[in-house]
Amino acid sequence: MPHAHLELNRPTGDEVKTTTCYMCACRCGIRVHLKNGRVRYIDGNPEHPVNRGVICAKGSSGMMQHYSPARLSKPLLRVGERGAREFREIEWDEALALATKWLGDIRARNPDELAFFTGRDQSQALTGWWAQQFGTINYAAHGGFCSVNMAAAGMYTFGGSFWEFGEPDWDRTKYLMLWGVAEDHDSNPIKLGLGKMKSRGAKIVAINPVRTGYASIADEWVPVNPGTDGLLAGALIHELLRNDRVDFDYLVRYTNAHHLVIRDPGAADDGLIARGADGKPLCVVRQSSSRPGNGRDPDPGTENLKALDSGLRRNDGQQSRAHRVVDAALPDIAPLIAGEYTLPDGRKAVPAFQLIAERFLADEYAPENVSERCGVDAETIRRLAAELAHAAFEEAIELPIAWTDTHGRKHDTMLGRPVSMHAMRGIAAHANGFHTCRTIHVLQILLGAIDTPGSFRYQPPYPKPAPPGNKPAKSRKPDGTLTGNPLGYPQSPADLLVDEEGQPRRLDHAFSWEFPLAAHGLLQSVIRNAVEGIPAKIDTLFLFMANMGWNSAMDTATTRKLLCARDDAGNYKIPHIIYVDAYDSETVAFTDLVLPDTTYLERYDCISLLDRPISDAEMAADAIRQPVVQPDRDVRPFQDVLLDLGARLKLPNMVDGNGAPAYKNYADYMVRHERAPGVGMLAGWRGADGSQQGKGAPNPDQLQRYIEHGCFFETKIPEAGAYYRMANRDYLQWAQSMGFVGSTEPVTMQLYCEVLQRFRLAAQGHGAVQPPESERARVTRYFDPVPFWYDGIQLPPPLAGEATRSAERAALGGRDSREDGPLPAFGHLPPRAGEEGKSLGARASAQDFPLSAITQRPMFMYHAWGSQNRWLRQIAARNVLYVHPRTLAAHALESGDWAWIASPRGRIRVEVCAHAATAPGTVWTWNAIGKKRGAWKLAERAPEFVDGFLLNHLIGERASNRTYANGDPVTGQAAWFDLKVRLEHDPEPRVPGHRFEPADD
Ligand code: SF4
């Protein structure tokens, strides 16, 4: 049929309302077609800046999400045992009175006894503020088990991030590297961008163990082994340095490459940036090279290039008399970026770039030496590096856009390096993810490829200072509120939340010596730590949209038992669990009080610039959701409930002087709440008459203006502020006027991360705040200010062997985490010949589990929510295990066989499927399709129960030494993708049926 005759957008109802999609994290604009008050059809809003009318399978299936049989319909009070799904329906008044009683007692006693954690929440600007008013430090959203490595590494390196805080310059980039990108995050913008690139013939390279989704349309697929991306990125840097393919001019203008790092081994200042009396970083210039007013030396420090290593611009050390030390931020200087120098006070110092070069020019990053570990041959690595450099330097672009830098210097053009990168959870979800992300950012920076034409671009409100200035709140005011938001970016050991012995204060151990830079908390550790009472018992666990009873937990079987754990008196160890969700998920079964949320089509929401923005590189944008239909059940929007609870608790700023609620509901809060004078939740149509943007007084008609405008607001960045925003005065002045930054100071990118060195120095015995002895070696190792690669993959704890248990006791300060009874048994791996009678701990080794196992997000489903959607279930209602054909053959398996996938935590019977677009050493499956029988109102024999499976069972929540959470030692990011497994035969490979057997050595 000719396309011209298709009527794709013919109205199907009697009314169309705009709002914002919530079927994934992307937040596209949608139009909801209604007939007689019911949803008939959803399509994309052509005017919306995120998706320009594009809609995906998930988004258009939102109707079935709204009418899902799994929707909760009434507040529920548990009447049976936890896990038994026995509830009594109650009225809201009773539910809120009960919650108020529990929470009120806590606040009077100790606010930290409330653990308030949210999952895929898009209202963290509200929930974080609420936690602050309540006064609990135990708050976070789900970033700790999603991609905090990505966020933290970016923020500490260049004041931005991949994820939703930046994007490739889709119109100009000539070479894009996608590193471990999940297919559902930032979905439609990436699809639109990739489409632009394909139409221009630009090259796309996908680095991923699995070729699905975006990778399937890439020009080149590099099947890297899981967890080795940092090694590969390091080898690319090695090649760039070795061949002198670095943008030195960019480095000395916008990074700390030339900042002098003190070399004073053993001293308290070793590794810190040398600063002048005014506190400003210092650098070295030649006596003759500071020529204020004459323009800067176009070729900094090159004349001694050949003095030592090729490719390293190193000074020969004999010229100190010809050098002088100056303020590194001075304009029009030509700082040296290699060599060792003597400071006026006699201390030695080297430019930060020297340390980067020393690290990555080392043999361990040579392509030949990383090739086998990465699974990428050396020739390919060299070619990729050459292609990156060619695109950056031989295909450089220059735009005729005049701009002014932060020194006030005028520039007529903008030089661009059209190489861009994007990375996501495949990089982040490893125990080495923070440093891997940093390494990728260093690679970008060396190419001059951050916020230049054709490269990766910031999205407003970024860039921010690197790191941003907000630190996690540590104390309470007299009125019981925290002094600030519970989350933030520590800059030194003094910012940690630890007690006098250096032990964690937070329930999830974030911002402790275990995970100092845990900017998003560690939701994945909360349940275990609450049961074990480390650091302290809590009273109430308050969860929102976090399916911790199933696919949001590691070691799911153990987690489910922990939720039911009782003390000697028979009381639950977590006395109260409140859960808010719209759907009858697995977690509902473990809840004492269920507060049913609305669907996303039934409420107001705020996609705020204070939270996770929807801006793109050209404009700042925010959005709302409006209720397009009224609830037909006894449910309430979570945000309304939260504000109601705050008012009932008489929390500061949630009641007025008479004790009456300060806000009628969330919509009222969105309009009237001010975070700072003139700065509120929404940036559009501010001021009493709606004429202001960014900052301005609350406007009572603001929501109406949003609705009239398709439920979004956008404002374009001035053209002169299009690029170089880390040092672009035109942009920074605009950003300041919008309330995004406090000053117009430039953002200096941190090739060398001094913040990390401050923690390392503390671990080496310097400063007032130092780690306990048990943490010193770990902090010293992982808080390296220069990124590095290490093998973060560990086997999970194998079993309850006495020796291991003693070690655990010691680590817990004499407390035994199992003193109240055994946790689920560990280890169910058949002994090999000659190993009968040996414990699993003695038997298991890395060789026993040679395959990496990961999950991928399907484009058609977003977490557990989407996989219960009737339309989306028609695409897939069960998952299989994908294995490379050679790997299958090596195990004498065929597609369609049922076999076992095993880790030290247990084994799962799964159907295997040959998949040539999988790295041979990796197996994988779709995430969160397998479900627990009884949940989501699915039929008793639903494929999700019978055939589908959940890989999480095999992932240990603890690292192999049992002491720490299974995560990155810098940020605590959950190491989902470090799982190692093996395949085992089943005696009846053609008999279908999924089964999980926990290890029970
Ligand atoms: S990409 Fe995400 S937000 Fe956009 S339409 Fe699809 S599901 Fe909705």
Side-chain angles (χ1 to χ4, degrees), residues 808-820:
E808 183 180 28
R809 270 187 73 86
L812 297 177
R815 292 166 294 181
D816 189 332
S817 64
R818 305 214 176 87
E819 62 193 3
D820 299 308

Side-chain angles (χ1 to χ4, degrees), residues 21 23-24 26-28 55-56 58-59 187-188:
C21 186
M23 293 295 287
C24 85
C26 199
R27 294 157 295 171
C28 297
I55 191 150
C56 73
K58 304 183 293 280
S187 178
N188 278 341

Side-chain angles (χ1 to χ4, degrees), residues 629-665:
V629 285
Q630 292 305 310
D632 57 359
R633 311 160 318 289
D634 194 10
V635 297
R636 294 185 186 178
F638 165 64
Q639 294 86 353
D640 286 3
V641 169
L642 206 55
L643 289 168
D644 187 352
L645 278 174
R648 288 168 187 251
L649 290 162
K650 307 278 187 235
L651 297 183
N653 304 310
M654 291 198 216
V655 287
D656 63 20
N658 300 317
Y663 302 101
K664 286 195 297 254
N665 49 34

